[in-house]
Amino acid sequence: AQSVTQLGSHVSVSEGALVLLRCNYSSSVPPYLFWYVQYPNQGLQLLLKYTSAATLVKGINGFEAEFKKSETSFHLTKPSAHMSDAAEYFCAVSDLGDDKIIFGKGTRLHILP
Amino acid sequence: ETGVTQTPRHLVMGMTNKKSLKCEQHLGHNAMYWYKQSAKKPLELMFVYSLEERVENNSVPSRFSPECPNSSHLFLHLHTLQPEDSALYLCASSQDLSETQYFGPGTRLLVL
């Protein structure tokens, strides 16, 4: 069965610092992996998606994530945090042919001035 | 109008009321979903529809009743809810099952 673990329910970084949000997955077959962002009072918005093409995936707003099969990880990074990045971030996994996406519990990112 | 829309955005109801949440997608997708998002709990998948047929029902109480009249519309009918049902209800759609899901803004529900 698929599962997703996001380490840290809250992460704080200073404006301009590196953002690193961790996600580990388990899947019996090569997975599809997603990162979504949720701003206050809004629905989830897709940041980026891995579908077995390039292992380094670039998304919107300067975010990227690297698929590492050996570590079963799909961590999200951004070189320089901006105040507008403050939001909740969700990692998700699905298997081709499955009927649902499994979401992690989310990580709330706080940006310190 | 594009994307996934949900109405109402906010809803307050008593435990004896009957109300419905509406979701509409303008993306030509074949699958639609209802999720419940409560404070301090993971996103909970409630219902999945593919080509207007329900394919997933994750042990949701019968006081929640979904309806998918066509591939563009999804409803969630609510009756005799409990205060613990207060949450953000999110609708999503995807081209097909397991494809990227696109979310609406959600309906913030408060049950008194």
Side-chain angles (χ1 to χ4, degrees), chain A residues 32 34 36 38 41-46 49 88 90 94-105, chain B residues 9 33 35 37 41-43 45 48 55-56 58 88 90 97-106 108:
Chain A
Y32 288 174
F34 309 82
Y36 283 86
Q38 185 178 30
N41 301 314
Q42 295 187 29
L44 277 68
Q45 179 183 358
L46 181 70
K49 170 183 171 182
E88 188 148 23
F90 294 89
S94 75
D95 290 340
L96 180 63
D98 205 348
D99 62 359
K100 59 189 174 191
I101 293 177
I102 306 298
F103 285 86
K105 294 184 178 181
Chain B
R9 292 294 310 276
Y33 311 78
Y35 287 88
Q37 187 177 35
K41 291 180 72 175
L43 206 58
L45 179 64
V48 179
V55 297
E56 182 92 22
N58 286 345
L88 180 68
L90 291 164
L97 297 173
S98 83
E99 293 290 322
T100 303
Q101 292 181 18
Y102 295 85
F103 284 79
R108 176 72 63 185

Side-chain angles (χ1 to χ4, degrees), chain B residues 38-88:
Chain B
S38 307
K40 300 181 182 179
K41 291 180 72 175
L43 206 58
E44 300 174 62
L45 179 64
M46 300 175 72
F47 300 104
V48 179
Y49 276 82
S50 177
L51 298 172
E52 300 148 47
E53 290 193 12
R54 189 189 307 182
V55 297
E56 182 92 22
N57 176 2
N58 286 345
S59 302
V60 179
S62 60
R63 57 186 184 269
F64 295 92
S65 174
E67 179 189 1
C68 188
N70 56 63
S71 59
S72 299
H73 293 86
L74 185 64
F75 295 89
L76 188 62
H77 304 299
L78 316 172
H79 63 98
T80 61
L81 293 192
Q82 304 298 311
E84 60 264 30
D85 296 323
S86 300
L88 180 68

Side-chain angles (χ1 to χ4, degrees), chain A residues 3-69:
Chain A
S3 68
V4 172
T5 302
Q6 291 185 242
L7 296 176
S9 58
H10 293 265
V11 170
S12 295
V13 301
S14 298
E15 191 174 17
L18 171 72
V19 175
L20 171 61
L21 303 182
R22 300 177 186 274
C23 173
N24 289 88
Y25 71 91
S26 70
S27 177
S28 57
V29 298
Y32 288 174
L33 292 160
F34 309 82
W35 275 101
Y36 283 86
V37 60
Q38 185 178 30
Y39 298 103
N41 301 314
Q42 295 187 29
L44 277 68
Q45 179 183 358
L46 181 70
L47 269 180
L48 50 82
K49 170 183 171 182
Y50 168 78
T51 56
S52 75
T55 55
L56 182 63
V57 183
K58 294 188 182 300
I60 61 172
N61 301 339
F63 284 93
E64 62 183 35
E66 186 172 8
F67 171 69
K68 291 187 177 180
K69 184 178 179 180

